[in-house]
Amino acid sequence: MPEQTSDRSRLRGDCSRCFGLCCVALPFTASADFAVTKPAGTPCRNLGGDHRCGIHAELRQRGFPGCTVYDCFGAGQRVSQVTFGGQDWRTGSPQQARRMFDAFAVVRQLHELLWYLTAALDLPAARPVHPELKALLGTVEALAVGTPGELAVLDVAAHRQEADVLLLRASELARAGVRGRRKDRRGADLMGARLSGADLRGVSLRGAYLIAADLTGADLRDTDLIGADLRDADLSDADLTGAFFLTQPQADAARGSAGTRLPASVTRPVHWAAAAR
């Protein structure tokens, strides 16, 4: 199936236009993903006065791999530059900073929905639901530019549920063109599964647990990967051409090689090249 390439640049984080919101608003706990514990609303110790990470180039080596697989989907710059008009959380009151952090949490969810809805519109076979997808896209876009007060009372779950119905239908329509009977493995526990060389074309792996799974050389063309947990999954030499709803954070959380084939919307993770050397 020919892959479309809608411009999703506005739905990618641009740290140069953000006040380091993810490094302050979000909490994390000392674990394999983070070297220290940090409560929500407290700046990370590695955040500089210029809102830049002081160890960005060494996050994995310094015990912060969790930071490398996070993507705000462009919510950071939206909240920093639009919702709060370029006002830095450091210069306002503590109450204003809290409103900013709360707004960021909501807009991040809305931007993730925008990313998935845009991706669904890239599926030619999903044309029967394109009008509904476009309508919901417009609704969510309008919500994302709401005021801090409007965002604070927004029921994101209701809009997410509406989107899930459309995204599932889009996936079913797109995968219907793949030959053969394809299993529905939604939510399947495939942690550590040995799937090297497996033919998974057109399979639904929505929300599947693929942590540390061996997917070397697997055929994942036209596979639905929305919400699939790919942490430490080995995608070396796997073919993910046209995989549906694969996000950058999912790819960043996995392992891969120079032979791994990715959708045009996903950038090859830097650490894959480093691991190959």
Side-chain angles (χ1 to χ4, degrees):
M1 178 182 296
E3 183 180 3
Q4 306 297 305
T5 54
S6 292
D7 180 15
R8 300 175 214 170
S9 58
R10 67 190 179 89
L11 300 176
R12 293 184 184 276
D14 182 353
C15 297
S16 68
R17 299 178 58 222
C18 177
F19 298 132
L21 294 183
C22 65
C23 304
V24 186
L26 305 179
F28 50 72
T29 303
S31 62
D33 292 320
F34 300 100
V36 298
T37 294
K38 184 193 82 66
T42 300
C44 174
R45 67 184 188 185
N46 298 309
L47 184 66
D50 60 353
H51 303 297
R52 299 292 180 270
C53 175
I55 62 168
H56 187 268
E58 303 176 329
L59 282 167
R60 287 181 176 274
Q61 298 91 316
R62 300 282 288 273
F64 291 86
C67 296
T68 68
V69 300
Y70 179 80
D71 189 345
C72 72
F73 292 96
Q77 62 260 31
R78 165 97 74 173
V79 172
S80 296
Q81 303 302 329
V82 180
T83 312
F84 286 85
Q87 181 179 357
D88 187 339
W89 57 268
R90 281 179 164 144
T91 61
S93 67
Q95 293 75 21
Q96 182 76 343
R98 172 48 57 192
R99 286 193 289 271
M100 194 172 197
F101 301 152
D102 290 344
F104 172 67
V106 175
V107 175
R108 197 273 180 189
Q109 294 181 69
L110 294 175
H111 270 226
E112 184 177 19
L113 278 184
L114 289 173
W115 192 95
Y116 284 127
L117 291 169
T118 302
L121 287 168
D122 270 348
L123 302 175
R127 284 194 183 93
V129 292
H130 278 191
E132 294 170 90
L133 288 167
K134 289 177 181 178
L136 185 54
L137 185 74
T139 297
V140 177
E141 181 65 47
L143 294 172
V145 296
T147 66
E150 291 169 336
L151 291 168
V153 297
L154 185 63
D155 184 0
V156 179
H159 297 286
R160 183 180 293 278
Q161 184 175 18
E162 183 180 359
D164 284 345
V165 173
L166 291 177
L167 295 173
L168 177 59
R169 181 58 181 149
S171 171
E172 291 172 339
L173 288 167
R175 290 183 295 108
V178 180
R179 293 182 178 179
R181 185 183 180 88
R182 297 300 167 189
K183 294 181 178 179
D184 186 338
R185 303 305 303 274
R186 282 183 288 180
D189 184 353
L190 297 171
M191 291 190 289
R194 298 177 180 178
L195 297 168
S196 178
D199 181 0
L200 298 170
R201 289 174 297 172
V203 173
S204 175
L205 289 170
R206 296 168 64 89
Y209 296 95
L210 289 157
I211 302 170
D214 179 6
L215 290 161
T216 56
D219 191 343
L220 291 153
R221 286 177 293 171
D222 300 319
T223 298
D224 186 344
L225 290 169
I226 192 168
D229 193 336
L230 294 171
R231 283 178 293 170
D232 204 33
D234 193 347
L235 297 174
S236 297
D237 298 325
D239 189 351
L240 292 91
T241 305
F244 309 146
F245 310 129
L246 178 69
T247 65
Q248 191 65 50
Q250 285 175 300
D252 290 341
R255 292 179 287 135
S257 67
T260 304
R261 300 180 63 186
L262 293 168
S265 59
V266 176
T267 301
R268 188 174 301 278
V270 175
H271 70 277
W272 286 11
R277 289 199 292 269

